[in-house]
Amino acid sequence: MDNEMTLSFVALSENESLARMAITSFVAQLDPTIDELSEFKTIVSEAVSNAIIHGYDEDGKGLVTVHAVREGDIISVAVKDNGKGIFDVKKAMEPLFTSKAEMERSGMGFTIMESFADNLQVESEPNVGTVVTFSKKFYSVKMPQIS
């Protein structure tokens, strides 16, 4: 492990931007491209939003934890909640599936995360919580040295 961070915050939608900003600063060490950074922030946003909205119903009481580890050019992240959990992970990961249709949720969160991450795992237990773990390799573009 080259570096590590952990951030915990109350399950409020406004804290999703806090998670994005923290992970952006953490990933910046690798000098990512704009596309890589955008994709990674999107994965974090989706995972954190799911924890807040689906795990805790935006109760403002539960905690969401984002834990990131950098090993070389790979960043691995775990987003954890101790909320309601997912009763059928396989079903929840299907495109267009949503348990919050009344909120006009598109049901594409896991699909988006899978498309941008190199690896994505979802572990959940009803009434215990959910952990979404993902990783991505970064191919930094260094500017040539001017002599």
Side-chain angles (χ1 to χ4, degrees):
M1 172 185 54
D2 297 326
N3 202 356
E4 178 177 20
M5 67 157 265
T6 301
L7 173 68
S8 294
F9 48 87
V10 177
L12 294 170
S13 288
E14 63 200 52
N15 287 332
E16 180 263 332
S17 62
L18 171 64
R20 257 194 351 258
M21 291 304 295
I23 206 69
T24 297
S25 295
F26 188 74
V27 170
Q29 304 166 40
L30 295 177
D31 195 24
T33 65
I34 297 292
D35 288 341
E36 287 175 329
L37 192 56
S38 178
E39 289 174 359
F40 206 72
K41 287 182 353 183
T42 299
I43 303 166
V44 170
S45 292
E46 291 292 340
V48 167
S49 293
N50 280 352
I52 293 169
I53 294 167
H54 299 286
Y56 291 118
D57 290 325
E58 296 183 83
D59 70 2
K61 296 176 187 167
L63 285 179
V64 176
T65 301
V66 178
H67 179 81
V69 174
R70 177 173 58 90
E71 294 184 47
D73 53 4
I74 297 173
I75 304 269
S76 300
V77 176
V79 177
K80 179 182 182 203
D81 69 70
N82 295 311
K84 296 190 303 187
I86 302 170
F87 288 90
D88 185 345
V89 172
K90 187 174 180 180
K91 180 77 173 165
M93 293 183 76
E94 290 179 4
L96 304 178
F97 175 82
T98 182
S99 62
K100 300 277 185 183
E102 72 281 2
M103 293 178 67
E104 297 184 20
R105 306 302 296 180
S106 70
M108 292 300 290
F110 284 126
T111 302
I112 291 167
M113 286 187 262
E114 282 182 311
S115 71
F116 290 150
D118 294 333
N119 297 300
L120 177 76
Q121 293 181 322
V122 180
E123 297 174 21
S124 190
E125 187 175 335
N127 303 312
V128 174
T130 302
V131 179
V132 175
T133 307
F134 57 91
S135 64
K136 185 170 183 68
K137 180 179 174 110
F138 287 83
Y139 301 91
S140 64
V141 178
K142 299 282 184 190
M143 295 299 290
Q145 297 281 338
I146 299 175
S147 332

